[in-house]
Amino acid sequence: MKKYGKLITIFICIFVVVAAIVGAVFLRGRASAEKEPEFVFLYAENQAEDYPTTIGDQYFAKLVYKKTDGRIKILVKYNAELGKESEVIQQMKYGGIAFARVSLSQLAEYIPEMNVLQMPYLYSSSEHMWRVLDGEIGDEFLEKPEVYGLRGLSWYDAGARNFYSTKPIRSLEDVRGMTIRVQESEMMADMVSALGATPSKIVYSEVYSAFEKGIVDGAENNWPSYESMKHYLVANYYTIDEHTRVPELQICSSAIWDQLSPEDQAIMMECARESAVYERQLWAEREKSSRSIAEENGITVIELSSREKERFREAMSGVYTKYCSDQMDVLQKIMDY
């Protein structure tokens, strides 16, 4: 009986040793399979984790990791963890940050040539804008950031900005005399002035209060912003005039880009374009959802007629001249594209 017990003990010991050896071999093999990435880069995003652009950024990072077999890992930092957009752009010039998603309006502060793409009433529709940006014109403008040490990768959607107000806007005459909140942008202020209204530069977080206090009669923004801040409770007329469509860009620091092989650069461009298509789908879904929420809260949606929208565009002649005097041919080419 004692002999039988010793045999069992010996058998258990052998089993434990073999299991330990097998486990060590398995872990060693797994460690070699999950080798350390050759590059680890930071990606700056100022929106929240669940925002369409942030999800698009993360999809881009995932695609790059997969298509490079884990050699390149990109860490997306959202909620402006790496700084506001203007600070990020400056850091990228020197390679402090590798990738970012930035608004065209911010980039145009450093590269004025890009202003032409965000002129008021430039695009007749979303389809028109993407026809421009996904074509030869868009490709040419993706190259322009190179003068500032940046590489344009792809275009993201940020929707169209429209007017919303405490009284209906159905014509150019309805806008005249109103006080309308605008973002910190001289061009937007000039646009509102050209329509005969008075621009009021108020920070985004204080717009709701400005309506409540009667400081402004109207404001302008896209559907998600209008809905998320519950501005529909204080301004229940939403006029679809689509005065501006300001696309966003995925960019890479040239200092980082030049470190990559031509093969990896090609992978980056491919992944950037794939993520752009995905982000646009997310944006469309978010826009539809936000509009539904606002409508459920009893707002009145007004769509400008084609003729009235043309009158709004005609009022922009002075704005076009001020900001695009040396690019009027490009402006017209975009409108006709």
Side-chain angles (χ1 to χ4, degrees):
M1 188 73 178
K2 288 182 180 180
K3 184 177 180 181
Y4 180 68
K6 287 181 179 179
L7 288 174
I8 292 176
T9 301
I10 293 171
F11 177 76
I12 292 173
C13 290
I14 293 172
F15 176 79
V16 170
V17 171
V18 172
I21 293 171
V22 171
V25 171
F26 173 76
L27 290 174
R28 193 178 301 115
R30 185 175 178 182
S32 62
E34 296 179 359
K35 56 188 177 184
E36 288 294 314
E38 186 178 343
F39 296 104
V40 177
F41 297 127
L42 293 178
Y43 189 124
E45 170 62 68
N46 70 350
Q47 295 289 358
E49 185 177 10
D50 64 346
Y51 203 74
T53 56
T54 308
I55 299 173
D57 305 339
Q58 292 169 333
Y59 187 60
F60 167 71
K62 181 179 178 180
L63 286 173
V64 169
Y65 187 79
K66 180 180 179 180
K67 294 188 179 186
T68 61
D69 296 321
R71 288 186 299 101
I72 300 178
K73 187 172 184 178
I74 299 173
L75 304 176
V76 178
K77 302 295 183 178
Y78 47 85
N79 279 332
E81 183 180 337
L82 300 179
K84 58 185 181 181
E85 286 189 13
S86 58
E87 295 169 341
V88 166
I89 290 171
Q90 292 175 41
Q91 289 184 65
M92 291 183 72
K93 184 176 181 180
Y94 304 103
I97 296 172
F99 297 92
R101 188 283 314 156
V102 297
S103 170
L104 174 64
S105 60
Q106 286 293 326
L107 203 56
E109 292 293 319
Y110 303 92
I111 311 164
E113 276 185 276
M114 302 196 76
N115 253 323
V116 68
L117 291 180
Q118 59 178 345
M119 285 294 102
Y121 303 101
L122 178 64
Y123 307 105
S124 60
S125 64
S126 174
E127 291 75 21
H128 178 200
M129 184 182 76
W130 291 120
R131 192 162 63 245
V132 170
L133 297 182
D134 288 337
E136 58 181 14
I137 295 176
D139 289 342
E140 288 173 10
F141 275 89
L142 278 179
E143 295 176 0
K144 292 189 182 297
E146 292 180 17
V147 300
Y148 195 77
L150 302 170
R151 173 77 188 194
L153 301 179
S154 66
W155 302 97
Y156 269 15
D157 199 356
R161 297 177 77 97
N162 303 288
F163 288 114
Y164 50 93
S165 52
T166 56
K167 58 183 181 180
I169 297 176
R170 293 189 173 90
S171 68
L172 193 57
E173 287 72 23
D174 292 334
V175 181
R176 291 171 183 164
M178 294 179 69
T179 298
I180 297 178
R181 180 267 172 179
V182 296
Q183 56 190 311
E184 292 290 325
S185 164
E186 284 303 313
M187 188 189 74
M188 295 300 289
D190 288 341
M191 179 197 76
V192 167
S193 296
L195 294 175
T198 301
S200 179
K201 294 180 181 178
I202 298 173
V203 297
Y204 183 50
S205 60
E206 296 178 8
V207 175
Y208 191 103
S209 176
F211 271 111
E212 281 190 314
K213 295 175 180 177
I215 297 173
V216 297
D217 307 302
E220 53 81 44
N221 219 315
N222 55 43
W223 279 111
S225 297
Y226 174 65
E227 173 268 318
S228 64
M229 297 298 283
K230 293 183 168 51
H231 289 171
Y232 53 79
L233 296 177
V234 288
N236 61 351
Y237 291 98
Y238 194 94
T239 300
I240 300 177
D241 70 312
E242 299 178 334
H243 49 262
T244 54
R245 290 181 177 276
V246 183
E248 316 217 313
L249 294 90
Q250 282 199 99
I251 54 176
C252 178
S253 167
S254 294
I256 300 300
W257 184 261
D258 293 341
Q259 295 180 34
L260 303 174
S261 68
E263 292 76 19
D264 284 342
Q265 290 176 350
I267 289 173
M268 290 288 179
M269 293 300 294
E270 180 184 354
C271 294
R273 293 182 186 278
E274 282 188 44
S275 70
V277 172
Y278 181 58
E279 188 274 344
R280 293 175 202 177
Q281 294 172 349
L282 294 174
W283 183 268
E285 293 169 4
R286 177 68 176 265
E287 211 166 39
K288 184 177 179 181
S289 171
S290 293
R291 176 171 178 167
S292 294
I293 292 171
E295 288 181 325
E296 287 168 5
N297 279 273
I299 69 163
T300 298
V301 179
I302 302 167
E303 294 204 33
L304 289 185
S305 65
S306 298
R307 174 58 193 136
E308 202 58 42
K309 192 170 181 179
E310 185 58 33
R311 291 183 67 206
F312 278 59
R313 176 189 281 185
E314 289 168 356
M316 294 299 111
S317 59
V319 178
Y320 295 159
T321 302
K322 179 178 179 179
Y323 291 93
C324 304
S325 59
D326 57 348
Q327 290 179 287
M328 295 302 285
D329 56 335
V330 179
L331 188 77
Q332 193 59 52
K333 183 179 180 181
I334 292 172
M335 287 182 175
D336 297 338
Y337 200 80

